[in-house]
Amino acid sequence: MEKIKSPIRIELSLGIMFQSVNCYLVPGKVLTLIDCGLDSEENWQTFQKKLNENGYQVADIKQVIITHEHIDHIGLLPRILEKSEATIRIPKMIEGWFSRPTEMKEAYLQFKKKLLSNLGFPKDIEQQAIRFIEEGRSYKKVDDLHRFETFEEGDILHFGNTQWEALNTPGHCPTQFVFLQKKQKRIFSGDMLLPIAPMPIVTEDPNNPDQPIRALKELQLSFERLKKYQIQQVYPGHGLEFTDANSIIEKQQARMQMRKNECYGAIKNGHQTPYEINRAMYPYQMMPPDFSGLYMVLGYLDLLEEEGRIQKETINNTWTYKWRKL
Ligand SMILES: [Zn+2]
C-alpha cells in the first residue's frame, strides 16, 4: 500500500484581526488542494510561498476540491484556474454560484431582506443590516466551467493516494460537504467541525422554498451523524487541526444546550422578538457586522418551539415568541 502523506495546512488571512481560513495541500499522485481561501493579493502571495516551501508551484496542482461555496473557501479559485490545469470538483448543489452567480446572489439578498423584516429590528438598524449584506462580496461568473466536475452525497473522491467519501452535512450551510475516511477515522470538515462551534447560518431552505432553514437543528443532526464515526483526526476549515472529534462536539453541544435554556429564560423575562432576544443574550455584539448571535437565537427558537416550550405568533409581520409553562 502506498504511504499516506499528511496534508499541508495553509492558513490564509480573513482580513479581520486574528481570523483566518485554512486550505489544505494534499500530496500524492494527484496533487490536490482542498478549498482555496479568501481572495486577496496578500493571500495569493502567502499561498504561493507556502507551495514553494514544500517544493510545488501552482501549476503542479491537478485537482481542487471545494467543501462549500462561501467566499472564504473559494476565493483564490480564479487565480488557480488561470495558473494551472487543475480539475475543480464542487458539490453539485453549489454549481449555480459559478454558472449564474448574479441570479444566485439576487435570490439570496431577497430572502435575507424578507427574513430581516420578520425579526423585529428597529427600522434604521434593519436598513444598515440590508446595506451590509448587499455590499458583501459578489461572485464572478466562471468561464472555465468545462473544467468543473460535481459530486454528491456518497460519492468517492480520490486524493492523497487514497479514497474519501463525500458526505453532505448541513448546519453551517445546506451545501456543506465533508470528506471522510471511515476506517482511518480522518475527516476534512470544512466549516462543519471546528475548534470553536460552527455558525448555523439561516438561509432559504432548498427543499422548502421561501422558508428559512432550521440551521441549528440541521447542525445537531449532522453532529450526531458524524459522532458515529468516532473521528480521530480533523482537518477543519478554520483553526488548528484537532483529534478526538466527539469530545469537541460534545462540549459544543453542551454549551448550545445551556444557551438554549438562557434563551428560554430571556423569553420568560419578556423579550419577545428575535431582535430583542438577541440584544438580551448578545449585548456586546455589533449587528451589523456580526450576525452570529442572531443565527444562534434563531436556532434556539426553532428548538424551543419544537420542544413545545415556546409559542410563535406572527404579529404585523414580526415573529413574536411567548413563554409556555410546561
Ligand atoms: Zn468558512
Side-chain angles (χ1 to χ4, degrees):
M1 205 174 98
E2 199 138 0
K3 197 167 158 20
I4 299 167
K5 287 185 191 158
S6 285
I8 300 159
R9 188 171 71 95
I10 304 180
E11 188 176 6
L12 298 171
S13 168
L14 284 184
I16 313 163
M17 236 205 291
F18 306 126
Q19 293 196 22
S20 66
V21 61
N22 297 326
C23 49
Y24 293 91
L25 193 66
V26 191
K29 271 176 283 182
V30 180
L31 184 66
T32 298
L33 182 70
I34 310 287
D35 280 348
C36 38
L38 184 74
D39 185 39
S40 71
E41 194 49 43
E42 181 203 345
N43 279 346
W44 182 233
Q45 295 307 329
T46 309
F47 178 72
Q48 292 179 90
K49 194 167 155 246
K50 191 84 188 184
L51 250 64
N52 297 160
E53 281 169 16
N54 286 281
Y56 301 109
Q57 296 180 356
V58 178
D60 298 326
I61 300 173
K62 294 288 181 286
Q63 156 172 258
V64 180
I65 305 180
I66 299 295
T67 61
H68 64 301
E69 78 282 11
H70 291 165
I71 210 80
D72 55 333
H73 295 260
I74 63 164
L76 294 178
L77 197 52
R79 300 187 198 239
I80 295 167
L81 274 164
E82 199 189 308
K83 295 274 189 249
S84 77
E85 275 162 18
T87 300
I88 316 299
R89 294 187 206 281
I90 62 168
K92 192 170 174 51
M93 298 167 90
I94 71 171
E95 212 176 5
W97 286 100
F98 300 95
S99 57
R100 43 190 174 88
T102 314
E103 208 178 295
M104 296 292 285
K105 170 116 191 216
E106 189 50 36
Y108 174 86
L109 274 178
Q110 287 313 322
F111 183 79
K112 281 277 152 121
K113 280 187 198 169
K114 181 169 165 269
L115 178 68
L116 273 169
S117 77
N118 295 134
L119 306 183
F121 276 59
K123 276 290 156 232
D124 54 332
I125 302 181
E126 187 180 323
Q127 285 310 317
Q128 281 174 35
I130 291 171
R131 231 172 297 135
F132 176 80
I133 297 167
E134 279 173 346
E135 283 163 9
R137 271 186 214 229
S138 293
Y139 289 72
K140 281 192 209 102
K141 193 169 164 18
V142 170
D143 300 320
D144 297 303
L145 273 179
H146 61 278
R147 288 168 61 187
F148 281 57
E149 287 180 17
T150 62
F151 57 83
E152 293 180 272
E153 166 71 29
D155 281 352
I156 300 296
L157 299 171
H158 298 263
F159 57 90
N161 299 340
T162 173
Q163 297 188 353
W164 302 75
E165 191 173 340
L167 304 182
N168 179 212
T169 52
H172 171 61
C173 58
T175 49
Q176 176 72 70
F177 273 74
V178 296
F179 311 125
L180 174 71
Q181 277 187 323
K182 285 181 187 157
K183 242 196 190 146
Q184 292 89 340
K185 301 183 184 298
R186 302 199 297 172
I187 194 168
F188 284 88
S189 65
D191 287 359
M192 173 62 219
L193 299 181
L194 296 173
I196 297 168
M199 199 198 301
I201 299 175
V202 179
T203 52
E204 188 172 4
D205 186 342
N207 302 313
N208 198 358
D210 246 22
Q211 291 305 309
I213 199 148
R214 294 183 169 239
L216 185 58
K217 168 88 187 172
E218 302 238 319
L219 187 72
Q220 294 296 349
L221 294 172
S222 292
F223 274 154
E224 292 307 326
R225 182 179 184 198
L226 291 181
K227 269 156 81 174
K228 294 198 184 101
Y229 298 112
Q230 311 266 342
I231 295 158
Q232 292 309 315
Q233 181 67 47
V234 184
Y235 303 106
H238 302 267
L240 296 173
E241 295 158 22
F242 58 94
T243 55
D244 191 3
N246 286 15
S247 75
I248 299 278
I249 294 172
E250 274 154 22
K251 265 184 214 146
Q252 295 177 357
Q253 286 182 309
R255 180 170 166 83
M256 287 171 183
Q257 188 71 16
M258 185 190 83
R259 290 293 273 166
K260 183 184 73 186
N261 288 328
E262 287 175 13
C263 181
Y264 185 56
I267 298 165
K268 190 181 179 186
N269 287 336
H271 302 285
Q272 293 193 329
T273 66
Y275 179 80
E276 286 169 2
I277 299 163
N278 172 278
R279 291 299 77 195
M281 290 183 72
Y282 300 86
Y284 49 85
Q285 267 186 7
M286 279 281 285
M287 193 169 59
D290 191 350
F291 294 99
S292 57
L294 184 68
Y295 290 130
M296 293 312 297
V297 166
L298 292 174
Y300 297 138
L301 291 171
D302 285 340
L303 297 178
L304 289 167
E305 196 189 356
E306 198 179 274
E307 291 165 13
R309 296 165 76 189
I310 57 171
Q311 201 170 351
K312 180 180 178 182
E313 222 182 302
T314 305
I315 302 173
N316 299 328
N317 194 41
T318 302
W319 298 346
T320 309
Y321 295 84
K322 289 210 173 61
W323 186 81
R324 289 180 67 191
K325 197 169 176 212
L326 286 182

